[in-house]
């Protein structure tokens, strides 16, 4: 038994934002049927290829637990099959460029006519307004949603983050919208349109930076390093390097081995509640009572001095030793972990967050499993489908095609090349 057992998803998504969303729904038990252009498929299948002839990791890591049907949605027979899929499914998810679904002839009005219980969930770059027609990729969303202007170091260029907050972040937002709409349908009996714009999703994740924008009106942001450095604030929330985004000052500090290991660093938070323990650990016990150091407000103009001193100590320890010493004292620290270290982390493997998957074309690879754990709906990560692997299965088992009907659809070319012998 899985949480979303019985829910059928018509997955018309591609690249990253939409597939992230439908992969989550598949992990929670929904039957996700990915509709792909015959002979081509999701463009990511052949992007950043590392094993010639095999689906790329970009595709496989975003499309687990789904079925794939090849279908030309611009061909008349293809449109008939798509119409039957809309009749049968509960949710249709898409992240085409603005207007693409309408141009196929499947407007929201038409979809409601076909199936009034259908939930149409869409990701676009921007919401309604002057940019609504624009195509958008990850980094554009990070720039337009406020992440880039607030990431990086003061005086440096705006910077994008490695976390895919525009694509995967918006996919997460959309997944919540979908299950919420499914829940409302239980009482309303109707479907609805669920929209998530990547700019909005990024801005939502940058909420604390909009908080700081408004706090600027009340004076300098004292927890930002630039305050202690005597650098005046401008009109907008500045880039704050690795300063903590909350009320407890924090920094990334060098650890033993930093000269040769680019990830020999720790994040160190000078949480007020454990200040005394920090003073003892770094060998500055007099700071516990010394005027100018004893309380958090007094320290705000001395953060560079305080963190320089803490760093003198962290540089004598590895990032894991810092963790071992500070954790029992309740001092919040965290090692900077590389992708290599994460991939080899036994704990993450035990919880199913890092998983090995076997694939017929590419062999074994590592992926990120479901990051949300439901105690009554365990997740088993199943490899991504090959292009059109389930075309006949979906036509027959899900849509009820058979005999001459099935032969007509296959011969029309609308569903790509299928093994006709097997289909019979
Ligand atoms: N059968 C026939 N045609 C199909 C099809 C199918 N099964 N699947 C897709 N197509 C067609 C679409 O109808 C569209 O045709 P038209 O341009 O004639 O309407 C065409 O394929 C291309 O679709 P697209 O415009 O969505 O794709 P693109 O590669 O040009 O743009 C992207 C990609 C991501 C920029 C755009 O889809 C977009 O802005 N999406 C919304 C925002 C988003 O999700 N961005 C994140 C992407 S992840 O970084």
């Amino acid at each position: 038994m899985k949480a979303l057992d019985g829910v059928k998803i018509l997955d018309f998504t591609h690249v990253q934002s939409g597939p992230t969303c439908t992969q989550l729904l598949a992990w929670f038990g929904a039957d996700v049927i990915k509709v792909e252009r015959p002979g081509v498929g999701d463009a990511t299948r052949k992007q950043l290829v590392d094993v010639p002839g095999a689906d790329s990791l970009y595709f496989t890591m975003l499309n687990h637990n789904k079925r794939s049907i090849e279908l030309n949605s611009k061909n008349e027979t293809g449109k008939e099959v798509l119409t039957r899929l809309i009749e049968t499914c509960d949710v249709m998810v898409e992240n085409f460029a603005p207007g693409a679904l309408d141009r196929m002839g499947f407007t929201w009005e038409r979809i409601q006519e076909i199936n009034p219980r259908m939930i149409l969930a869409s990701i676009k770059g921007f919401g309604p307004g002057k940019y609504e027609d624009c195509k958008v990729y990850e980094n554009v969303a990070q720039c337009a949603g406020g992440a880039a202007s607030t990431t990086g170091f003061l005086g440096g260029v705006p910077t994008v983050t490695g976390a895919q907050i525009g694509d995967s972040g918006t996919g997460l937002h959309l997944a919540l919208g979908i299950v919420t709409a499914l829940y409302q349908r239980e009482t309303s009996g109707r479907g609805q349109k669920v929209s998530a714009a990547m700019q909005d999703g990024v801005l939502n994740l940058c909420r604390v930076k909009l908080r700081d924008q408004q706090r600027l009106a009340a004076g300098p942001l004292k927890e930002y390093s630039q305050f202690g450095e005597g650098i005046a604030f401008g009109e907008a929330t500045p880039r704050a390097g690795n300063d903590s985004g909350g009320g407890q000052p924090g920094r990334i500090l060098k650890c033993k081995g930093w000269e040769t290991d680019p990830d020999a660093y720790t994040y160190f938070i000078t949480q007020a509640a454990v200040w005394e323990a920090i003073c003892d650990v770094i060998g500055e016990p007099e700071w516990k009572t010394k005027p100018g150091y004893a309380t958090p407000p007094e320290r705000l103009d001395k953060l560079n001095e305080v963190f320089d001193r803490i760093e003198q100590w962290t540089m004598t320890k590895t990032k894991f030793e810092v963790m071992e010493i500070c954790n029992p004292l309740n001092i919040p620290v965290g090692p900077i972990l590389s992708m290599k270290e994460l991939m080899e982390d036994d704990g993450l493997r035990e919880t199913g967050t890092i998983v090995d998957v076997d694939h017929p074309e590419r062999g074994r690879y590592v992926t990120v499993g479901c990051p949300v754990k439901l105690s009554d709906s365990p997740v088993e990560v199943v490899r991504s489908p090959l292009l059109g692997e389930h075309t006949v299965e979906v036509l027959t088992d899900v849509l009820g095609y058979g005999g001459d009907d099935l032969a007509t659809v296959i011969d029309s070319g609308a569903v790509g090349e299928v093994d006709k012998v097997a289909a019979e």
Side-chain angles (χ1 to χ4, degrees), residues 20 37 51 65 104 119 137 155 349 361 376:
T20 325
R37 204 165 355 174
V51 177
N65 297 61
M104 278 180 209
I119 290 158
Y137 282 103
R349 278 173 185 274
E361 287 175 336
D376 277 356

Side-chain angles (χ1 to χ4, degrees), residues 12 14-18 35-38 58 71-74 95-100 103-104 123-125 134-138 167 198:
F12 228 158
H14 65 159
V15 201
Q16 184 182 160
S17 63
V35 176
E36 299 183 78
R37 204 165 355 174
Y58 196 4
L71 186 68
N72 183 348
S73 58
K74 288 184 173 166
N95 67 309
F96 290 127
R103 287 191 289 278
M104 278 180 209
I123 290 177
K124 298 290 168 251
C134 299
K135 286 186 176 179
V136 168
Y137 282 103
E138 172 68 47
D167 280 338
M198 293 167 73

Side-chain angles (χ1 to χ4, degrees), residues 28 36 57 68 70 107 116 119 146 168 173 187 204 207 209 249 251 269 278 303 345 370 383 385 404-405 409-410 416:
F28 294 145
E36 299 183 78
L57 286 167
S68 164
E70 283 177 287
T107 59
I119 290 158
S168 291
H173 283 93
T187 45
N204 183 36
R207 185 169 288 261
K209 297 297 176 180
R251 294 269 179 94
I269 298 179
I278 294 170
L303 291 181
D345 188 302
C370 185
R383 73 162 172 86
D404 290 349
D405 274 1
V409 170
I410 290 173

